[in-house]
């Protein structure tokens, strides 16, 4: 394997996958467990695929400690479809839903929810270009649910505690970009969803974790592909599911268990993030983080350099040094390092070292 070419991949999504997972998929590609075919080629009704999807579900329950009063769905349409499915299913006609807006993704969720009914913004940090968490909230105690985004992938803001909401109001969360990056208390949530391609697998599958009482809210007239209740009852097999993507997230769940579970993964993620934030903080202002320290994401780290010209040079030279995907999103500008589960400590150290050297040459 000495000729294997792998870069340090800081892409924001689709993002890096663990090498071991890719190698296992490669080894099983032509002949999955003696079937003589790939998971891509087999019936989604076969007993082999049933075992793939059931194992993925069981491993996720195990990793996140999900109790039996929650259903797990493997759906298509990305987190973006959840922005619409959620109000269609959970917000009864005439009711209103509350949204916490902390970045591009929660703002986009509001935009979709508004098309379909009453939507309130209970807090927003837009005035400071989403560089912090809200200090105060104005929740509606009668809201159908409260929606927030646990990690804002573009702005690099992450919640480490759930917002405190009125009792009895269901809490709903977009956890796309910090999914399985650390333990969370699922019992605090009515519903969680995550597009897999940020931290848990390839694009094409979205994991939805929904408490049973939320499924009872689904109205009767929804098209079936938008209907949580039916999709959950059919155990994600109402129609052909994204079978290969489900297989891949299943391998990532197994990998996460092998790494020691989410507490062990969090430890590594904290170490990686600290390496990159230290490189920013010790640069004497050459590198400037977008987010105030208390709200810094462990997954996505946006930062600026003294000029756009230097930022372009940084991206180019980093790429030549095997550090890929560091150009930031245009709404924040500058650079963004995404240090998802599959990015190694070695990768974070390589980035930190490159940052120090680049500053020496250009500071
Ligand atoms: C990427 C992302 C989305 C959109 O995901 P798609 O799968 O492209 O629809 C939504 N929310 C968050 C937090 C994201 O990071």
């Amino acid at each position: 394997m000495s000729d294997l070419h792998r870069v340090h991949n800081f892409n924001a999504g689709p993002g890096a996958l663990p090498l071991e997972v890719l190698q296992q998929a490669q080894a099983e590609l032509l002949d999955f467990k003696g079937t003589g075919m790939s998971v891509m080629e087999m019936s989604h009704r076969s007993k082999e695929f049933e075992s793939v999807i059931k194992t993925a579900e069981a491993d996720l329950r195990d990793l996140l400690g999900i109790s039996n009063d929650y259903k797990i769905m493997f759906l298509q349409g990305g987190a973006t479809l959840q922005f619409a499915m959620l109000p269609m299913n959970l917000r009864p006609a005439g009711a209103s839903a509350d949204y916490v807006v902390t970045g591009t993704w929660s703002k986009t969720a509001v935009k979709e929810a508004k098309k379909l009914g009453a939507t309130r913004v209970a807090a927003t940090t837009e005035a400071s270009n989403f560089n912090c968490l809200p200090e105060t909230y104005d929740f509606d105690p009668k809201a159908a649910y409260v929606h927030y985004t646990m990690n804002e992938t573009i702005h690099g803001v992450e919640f480490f505690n759930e917002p405190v909401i009125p009792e009895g109001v269901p809490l709903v969360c977009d956890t796309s970009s910090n999914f399985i990056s650390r333990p969370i208390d699922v019992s605090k949530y009515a519903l969680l969803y995550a597009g897999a391609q940020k931290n848990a697998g390839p694009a094409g599958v979205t994991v939805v974790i929904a408490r049973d009482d939320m499924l009872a809210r689904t109205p009767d007239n929804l098209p079936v592909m938008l209907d949580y209740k039916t999709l959950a009852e059919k155990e994600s097999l109402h129609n052909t599911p994204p079978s290969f993507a489900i297989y891949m997230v299943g391998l990532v769940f197994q990998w996460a268990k092998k790494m020691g579970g989410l507490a062990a993964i969090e430890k590594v993620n904290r170490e990686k993030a600290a390496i990159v934030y230290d490189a920013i903080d010790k640069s004497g202002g050459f590198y400037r983080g977008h987010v105030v320290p208390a709200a810094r994401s462990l997954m996505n780290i946006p930062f600026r350099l003294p000029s756009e010209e230097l930022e372009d040079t940084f991206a180019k030279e980093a790429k030549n040094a095997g550090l890929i995907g560091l150009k930031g999103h245009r709404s924040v500008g500058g650079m963004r390092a995404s240090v998802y589960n599959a990015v190694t400590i070695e990768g974070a150290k390589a980035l930190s070292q490159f940052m120090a050297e680049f500053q020496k040459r250009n500071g």
Side-chain angles (χ1 to χ4, degrees):
M1 281 287 187
S2 60
D3 57 349
L4 182 66
H5 172 62
R6 295 281 295 170
V7 294
H8 291 302
N9 182 352
F10 299 97
N11 276 319
L17 286 170
L19 180 59
E20 296 93 312
V21 165
L22 296 172
Q23 284 169 331
Q24 188 177 344
Q26 182 181 44
E28 294 178 335
L29 190 68
L30 302 183
D31 178 10
F32 178 71
K33 299 196 168 154
T35 56
M37 58 184 147
S38 158
V39 174
M40 277 183 266
E41 302 169 285
M42 64 180 52
S43 167
H44 58 292
R45 312 274 175 209
S46 63
K47 70 175 191 321
E48 288 84 5
F49 186 72
E50 188 182 329
S51 158
V52 167
I53 192 168
K54 288 289 160 217
T55 306
E57 181 187 329
D59 285 336
L60 182 58
R61 279 191 194 278
D62 205 19
L63 277 172
L64 276 172
I66 304 171
S67 59
N68 287 330
D69 53 337
Y70 288 81
K71 297 281 186 292
I72 296 175
M73 289 169 263
F74 297 98
L75 307 181
Q76 302 193 50
T80 303
L81 184 57
Q82 294 310 307
F83 295 163
M85 266 176 93
L86 188 64
M88 285 176 162
N89 284 269
L90 262 56
R91 184 177 56 192
S96 168
D98 271 3
Y99 281 70
V100 175
V101 177
T102 50
T104 298
W105 289 116
S106 41
K107 208 177 152 182
T108 311
V110 167
K111 209 169 149 194
E112 286 292 274
K114 267 191 177 155
K115 293 177 188 168
L116 299 159
T119 307
R120 280 178 81 248
V121 171
T124 175
T125 55
E126 188 160 19
S128 63
N129 193 18
F130 303 122
N131 74 341
C132 58
L133 294 173
E135 274 167 20
T136 57
Y137 298 89
D138 168 31
F139 288 120
D140 170 6
K142 292 199 178 79
Y145 58 83
V146 168
H147 177 281
Y148 85 108
T149 303
M150 208 190 309
N151 184 68
E152 285 284 357
T153 321
I154 291 173
H155 290 87
V157 171
E158 184 168 4
F159 284 84
F160 294 95
N161 295 294
E162 290 76 16
V164 179
I165 66 171
E167 219 177 296
V169 177
L171 183 61
V172 167
C173 181
D174 177 356
T175 182
S176 293
S177 50
N178 67 349
F179 187 52
I180 64 164
S181 68
R182 55 182 168 89
I184 58 167
D185 183 355
V186 172
S187 73
K188 290 185 172 155
Y189 294 88
L191 189 145
L192 291 141
Y193 62 92
Q197 75 274 18
K198 305 292 163 58
N199 204 27
V205 63
T206 303
V207 180
V208 178
I209 303 163
R211 207 171 57 208
D212 289 337
D213 60 328
M214 292 298 109
L215 300 174
R217 291 189 180 194
T218 297
D220 290 332
N221 60 349
L222 284 186
V224 68
M225 291 309 288
L226 303 173
D227 171 337
Y228 284 143
K229 186 163 175 269
T230 304
L231 295 168
E233 271 168 8
K234 299 283 174 69
E235 303 182 312
S236 308
L237 294 170
H238 171 75
N239 72 330
T240 317
S243 51
F244 195 75
I246 293 170
Y247 159 71
M248 289 296 294
V249 295
L251 292 185
V252 172
F253 297 157
Q254 279 167 23
W255 171 85
K257 287 175 75 171
K258 229 180 295 161
M259 298 301 285
L262 298 189
I265 284 180
E266 174 174 12
K267 207 163 153 254
V268 177
N269 283 338
R270 285 196 179 276
E271 196 176 332
K272 277 157 27 190
I275 290 168
V276 180
Y277 285 119
D278 271 359
I280 293 170
D281 293 341
K282 289 184 178 149
S283 74
F286 183 80
Y287 300 108
R288 283 168 294 120
H290 175 69
V291 176
V292 301
R296 283 171 161 181
S297 165
L298 296 178
M299 295 282 102
N300 309 98
I301 306 176
F303 59 95
R304 305 292 314 246
L305 274 71
S307 72
E308 285 185 16
E309 208 180 322
L310 274 177
E311 289 170 347
D312 285 343
T313 313
F314 183 97
K316 255 180 241 148
E317 290 186 9
K319 193 172 171 199
N320 289 336
L323 307 166
I324 302 300
L326 289 164
K327 203 155 171 41
H329 192 273
R330 62 194 178 284
S331 58
V332 178
M335 323 309 303
R336 171 176 48 172
S338 297
V339 282
Y340 294 130
N341 285 359
V343 175
T344 58
I345 288 178
E346 188 198 352
K349 282 183 178 160
L351 173 58
S352 152
Q353 205 170 355
F354 175 83
M355 287 168 73
E357 284 163 12
F358 186 86
Q359 183 179 0
K360 228 177 264 168
R361 277 183 279 117
N362 298 280

